[in-house]
Amino acid sequence: MEEMARILLVDDEDDILEFLGYNLRKAGFDVQTARNGREGHQVACQWKPHLVILDIMMPEVDGIEACQLIRLTPEIADTLVVFLTARGEDYSQIAGFDAGADDYIKKPVKPNVLISRIKALLRRVSTPESSQEIIQARDFIIDKERYVVIKDSQQIALSKKEFELLVFLTSRPGKVFSRDDIFANVWGSDVVVGDRTIDVHIRKLREKIGVENIKTYKGIGYSYV
Amino acid sequence: MEEMARILLVDDEDDILEFLGYNLRKAGFDVQTARNGREGHQVACQWKPHLVILDIMMPEVDGIEACQLIRLTPEIADTLVVFLTARGEDYSQIAGFDAGADDYIKKPVKPNVLISRIKALLRRVSTPESSQEIIQARDFIIDKERYVVIKDSQQIALSKKEFELLVFLTSRPGKVFSRDDIFANVWGSDVVVGDRTIDVHIRKLREKIGVENIKTYKGIGYSYV
DNA sequence: AGCAAGGTTAATTATTTCTTAATCGCTTAT
DNA sequence: ATAAGCGATTAAGAAATAATTAACCTTGCT
């Protein structure tokens, strides 16, 4: 299953939010919205979108400032940024690229144009490392090829299930995965095993990689911290 | 058992009507047909299909006009519309989306392609707000994905019920929810718990996110400010 | 066949969260 | 001023859920 790209749409006009949001979702993107630059930056920090669409003209914190904010926040500094510019805002092109934009699109926006530009941008970034065999988590290196995890330059041997479980949990650090999520992705939808099975694997994993790395949310699920 | 989706198929060629009709029915859809745009619109008003498949080229009223008709009729304006376009009708893509199409499919149509596209469309509509994973309240970010609330860039850990309660209250800031509303939405209609239970949860919530954010309306209910 | 490793289950214990009940305090109507 | 009504608070018990442990299956390998 391929993860769909997350796109954060930041504009102060509801019409545009709705219109573009609808079309982007229809194109298969996971869309989140915000109404000004500050909100946008906050959500971006939290949600880690692959791409942010910023209207230039916005109250409070405008698009260019928002872009600068993003570039100054290490965790999300390399997020793709696309500017939306009103007709005639010529300066925006220059200022936008100065601020670190990856593309800019003139209003009125045609959905299919927007979408193809976005896809092009995403493609450009995602191609080189599509066969991600080595994953870097906070203080691990996860080597899918060798089924090995390295922590503090120490190799940790994991069994298959333990390894897959870790890979899954680290796929989105912080996200809380329900037991169902875990079953569906680590075991497969057709397999039926008891609830305790996950507990036991979680326990073994914790034993090997350190308890503090996996957090329990009672009644909800587990997350990799 | 889930209600099967109603699909209205509009085309002037009997072959296609029969071929697609057969395949759609086999896929479990409830299918009705019409032979031109006018008929299609009439049947749509009457039968309220979930989705309409429109051939672009038709006598009398063509597909694009039919789509516009549908969009102009309030009762069925949000029906999903899929266009069928002959090979080489390139303009149809643009014109179709302008007319408010949700998807378009090129002829010759492969049944399995058509069906998977249709299912994708229907699925998207039936999951209204599942993708809204991050909620912005006045000074919070509520992250459903991580079951975490952030206030002043501080993470606040909430239990399951507390979290659900907060999500519910913030779903409409300012609105006063009665205890019944709250029970129905946070607990579920079948669960029976005492009145004090809500008080206690409200109290805990206030303790964590700040008393000032939840206001009591004696005899009426609570609201998120 | 016998062994080892990984995976699963079941039984027990531990922990957290939810609910209840008892009591207190504030507001309002008589 | 007083009682009635309603919510707040508190602590304790119940229920839900997870952690732990050990035993039990498989499977693959020698």
Side-chain angles (χ1 to χ4, degrees):
Chain A
M1 186 194 86
E2 204 179 331
E3 194 196 5
M4 57 173 117
R6 291 183 296 280
I7 295 185
L8 171 61
L9 189 54
V10 189
D11 199 318
D12 59 316
E13 293 168 72
D14 282 350
D15 293 352
I16 297 207
L17 242 40
E18 198 172 318
F19 175 67
L20 292 183
Y22 171 76
N23 283 101
L24 287 168
R25 289 197 182 94
K26 203 166 68 178
F29 296 110
D30 197 350
V31 179
Q32 191 71 50
T33 59
R35 285 203 168 59
N36 64 56
R38 190 187 320 287
E39 270 186 22
H41 178 245
Q42 283 177 348
V43 174
C45 290
Q46 191 66 18
W47 191 51
K48 311 236 164 59
H50 298 99
L51 184 146
V52 181
I53 300 175
L54 291 170
D55 190 19
I56 300 240
M57 293 285 289
M58 279 187 297
E60 299 212 42
V61 176
D62 72 27
I64 293 180
E65 289 164 328
C67 180
Q68 289 165 341
L69 272 177
I70 287 170
R71 296 291 180 235
L72 287 171
T73 310
E75 284 192 295
I76 52 168
D78 58 350
T79 307
L80 292 169
V81 173
V82 174
F83 277 119
L84 247 41
T85 96
R87 184 201 305 279
E89 283 182 303
D90 235 9
Y91 71 92
S92 61
Q93 177 175 354
I94 296 97
F97 275 114
D98 275 357
D102 296 289
D103 200 355
Y104 73 99
I105 290 175
K106 288 200 210 86
K107 288 183 182 180
V109 187
K110 291 187 182 169
N112 45 348
V113 172
L114 177 64
I115 284 162
S116 62
R117 300 270 281 267
I118 285 176
K119 283 189 175 161
L121 276 176
L122 291 172
R123 204 176 313 123
R124 190 182 307 154
V125 206
S126 68
T127 343
E129 29 148 13
S130 60
S131 58
Q132 188 85 319
E133 289 298 341
I134 294 181
I135 297 168
Q136 285 257 10
R138 180 180 295 275
D139 27 32
F140 299 119
I141 299 171
I142 300 172
D143 186 337
K144 279 191 185 177
E145 207 169 350
R146 307 180 193 186
Y147 267 72
V148 150
V149 173
I150 294 167
K151 186 191 178 184
D152 310 329
S153 58
Q154 288 285 313
Q155 278 208 3
I156 303 174
L158 299 183
S159 76
K160 192 179 174 206
K161 275 267 143 50
E162 286 160 10
F163 191 81
E164 287 171 349
L165 182 55
L166 179 62
V167 167
F168 179 60
L169 289 176
T170 52
S171 69
R172 211 141 161 43
K175 164 157 180 159
V176 181
F177 293 102
S178 71
R179 297 176 114 82
D180 283 348
D181 289 339
I182 296 173
F183 278 133
N185 289 281
V186 178
W187 271 260
S189 47
D190 44 342
V191 186
V192 181
V193 287
D195 255 14
R196 297 301 116 229
T197 301
I198 282 186
D199 300 31
V200 174
H201 279 98
I202 290 278
R203 188 185 151 280
K204 289 190 189 159
L205 244 188
R206 281 177 169 152
E207 203 169 75
K208 291 183 179 173
I209 67 170
V211 213
E212 67 283 4
N213 291 302
I214 297 174
K215 190 170 173 208
T216 302
Y217 290 74
K218 278 218 170 192
I220 307 162
Y222 296 94
S223 90
Y224 170 80
V225 188
Chain B
M1 146 107 194
E2 211 177 325
E3 190 199 8
M4 61 172 96
R6 292 184 295 281
I7 296 183
L8 171 60
L9 189 54
V10 190
D11 199 319
D12 58 316
E13 294 168 69
D14 281 350
D15 294 352
I16 296 207
L17 240 41
E18 195 173 320
F19 174 66
L20 292 183
Y22 170 76
N23 284 100
L24 288 168
R25 288 196 184 93
K26 203 169 68 181
F29 297 110
D30 197 351
V31 181
Q32 204 59 254
T33 60
R35 285 203 165 56
N36 64 55
R38 189 185 321 288
E39 241 187 84
H41 178 246
Q42 284 171 352
V43 175
C45 290
Q46 198 68 15
W47 191 50
K48 308 237 164 57
H50 298 98
L51 184 146
V52 182
I53 300 174
L54 291 169
D55 190 19
I56 301 238
M57 294 287 289
M58 280 185 299
E60 301 215 38
V61 177
D62 73 25
I64 292 180
E65 289 164 330
C67 180
Q68 288 165 342
L69 272 177
I70 288 171
R71 295 289 180 236
L72 288 171
T73 311
E75 284 192 294
I76 54 167
D78 58 350
T79 308
L80 292 168
V81 173
V82 174
F83 277 121
L84 248 39
T85 96
R87 184 202 303 278
E89 283 183 303
D90 233 8
Y91 72 92
S92 60
Q93 175 176 353
I94 295 98
F97 274 114
D98 276 355
D102 295 289
D103 201 354
Y104 72 98
I105 291 176
K106 287 199 211 88
K107 288 183 182 178
V109 187
K110 293 181 184 175
N112 48 343
V113 171
L114 176 66
I115 285 162
S116 65
R117 301 268 282 263
I118 286 176
K119 282 187 175 164
L121 278 175
L122 292 172
R123 200 179 314 124
R124 192 171 303 141
V125 187
S126 66
T127 26
E129 38 159 0
S130 61
S131 68
Q132 194 69 356
E133 293 291 351
I134 295 183
I135 296 168
Q136 294 244 3
R138 178 180 296 277
D139 27 34
F140 299 121
I141 295 178
I142 300 173
D143 188 335
K144 282 192 187 172
E145 193 178 71
R146 303 178 180 207
Y147 266 79
V148 146
V149 173
I150 292 175
K151 186 191 178 184
D152 310 328
S153 58
Q154 288 286 312
Q155 286 208 358
I156 303 174
L158 299 182
S159 79
K160 194 181 175 193
K161 275 266 145 51
E162 287 160 10
F163 193 83
E164 288 169 353
L165 182 55
L166 179 63
V167 167
F168 179 61
L169 289 176
T170 51
S171 69
R172 266 170 131 290
K175 157 150 186 167
V176 182
F177 292 102
S178 71
R179 297 175 114 81
D180 282 349
D181 288 340
I182 297 174
F183 278 134
N185 288 282
V186 178
W187 271 260
S189 47
D190 44 341
V191 186
V192 181
V193 287
D195 256 15
R196 298 298 114 232
T197 300
I198 282 187
D199 300 30
V200 174
H201 278 100
I202 291 279
R203 188 186 151 280
K204 288 192 190 157
L205 244 188
R206 282 178 170 154
E207 198 171 79
K208 290 185 178 173
I209 67 170
V211 211
E212 68 282 6
N213 291 301
I214 297 174
K215 190 168 176 208
T216 302
Y217 291 79
K218 280 212 171 191
I220 308 167
Y222 296 93
S223 91
Y224 169 80
V225 190

